[in-house]
Amino acid sequence: MRVTYGRELMMQRLLDADGIESFIPMRYVLEKVHNKPKRMLRPAIHNLLFIHSSKSTVQQFKSKRQSLQYMTRRENGRNVPIVVGDKEMNRFIDVSKHYDLECSYFKPEELNLARGTRVRIHGGPLDGKEAVFIKVKGHRSKSIVVAIPNVIAVAFAEITPDYLEVIDADSKK
């Protein structure tokens, strides 16, 4: 869902109060507090909020809050709300919750994932996670990207190929 700029955390608190599960990708940033730099956890992408609930529950919650809007995609000439599968969302959350990792977030149009190779990471905080190994536009090094198709992708700093296992496209793992 899209949220009015700067209201992501407030909206998440309201969802929590109603017992509705949600997720906001976060990252650490340096902010000045009382003229001293302080490391603060802030939303990585402004206006973005993932909600895990039934359509009727989301619609009921949304009807009371005008600052909350569906993210949509075009399908057969209509705008249809984007629904992310549990497997894709869990993989994205598993990677995004490592706030200390150096990463960048991208819109779908900023990456061409079709050319990427699916890999499984071995070792470190991303051990066992599946991702796509690609070259990110404007970066000289290779990056690991975990994506939710048509919504968002997160790219991590260079990773040594020794820690990667190529996953067969037909693999069910």
Side-chain angles (χ1 to χ4, degrees):
M1 311 267 320
R2 292 201 187 279
V3 184
T4 304
Y5 186 84
R7 297 184 180 208
E8 304 91 350
L9 297 174
M10 178 208 61
M11 192 63 65
Q12 188 174 45
R13 284 190 295 274
L14 293 171
L15 286 159
D16 288 346
D18 279 8
I20 301 171
E21 186 181 354
S22 64
F23 176 74
I24 298 174
M26 305 287 280
R27 73 169 144 199
Y28 283 108
V29 296
L30 284 177
E31 292 182 1
K32 282 196 174 187
V33 178
H34 304 295
N35 286 330
K36 294 182 182 178
K38 186 172 180 181
R39 199 170 151 206
M40 307 286 283
L41 196 56
R42 297 286 185 236
I45 304 110
H46 293 290
N47 308 353
L48 184 67
L49 172 70
F50 293 95
I51 297 175
H52 186 245
S53 191
S54 68
K55 183 178 180 179
S56 61
T57 301
V58 172
Q59 189 59 39
Q60 183 179 354
F61 181 86
K62 183 185 168 313
S63 69
K64 301 175 204 164
R65 291 150 185 101
Q66 294 190 7
S67 61
L68 187 63
Q69 299 296 320
Y70 288 111
M71 284 184 67
T72 61
R73 61 181 166 77
R74 296 293 286 174
E75 186 176 290
N76 298 325
R78 298 179 335 144
N79 287 333
V80 179
I82 295 174
V83 176
V84 179
D86 286 343
K87 183 178 177 182
E88 290 172 308
M89 194 67 224
N90 288 335
R91 185 172 55 213
F92 182 76
I93 290 171
D94 282 348
V95 171
S96 297
K97 70 183 178 186
H98 294 283
Y99 308 127
D100 287 327
L101 292 177
E102 188 178 320
C103 63
S104 302
Y105 289 85
F106 297 93
K107 295 176 185 171
E109 60 272 13
E110 294 176 309
L111 297 171
N112 182 0
L113 298 178
R115 289 188 283 171
T117 303
R118 293 197 50 76
V119 296
R120 184 172 294 111
I121 303 164
H122 294 285
L126 301 178
D127 187 43
K129 303 296 181 256
E130 293 181 11
V132 177
F133 191 59
I134 65 167
K135 170 115 175 48
V136 177
K137 205 177 198 180
H139 292 269
R140 287 185 172 186
S141 64
K142 299 280 186 174
S143 298
I144 291 294
V145 175
V146 175
I148 296 176
N150 302 315
V151 180
I152 192 167
V154 59
F156 292 90
E158 184 174 349
I159 191 163
T160 309
D162 300 344
Y163 294 107
L164 301 177
E165 168 194 353
V166 174
I167 300 172
D168 184 24
D170 298 325
S171 176
K172 300 281 185 190
K173 290 184 180 179

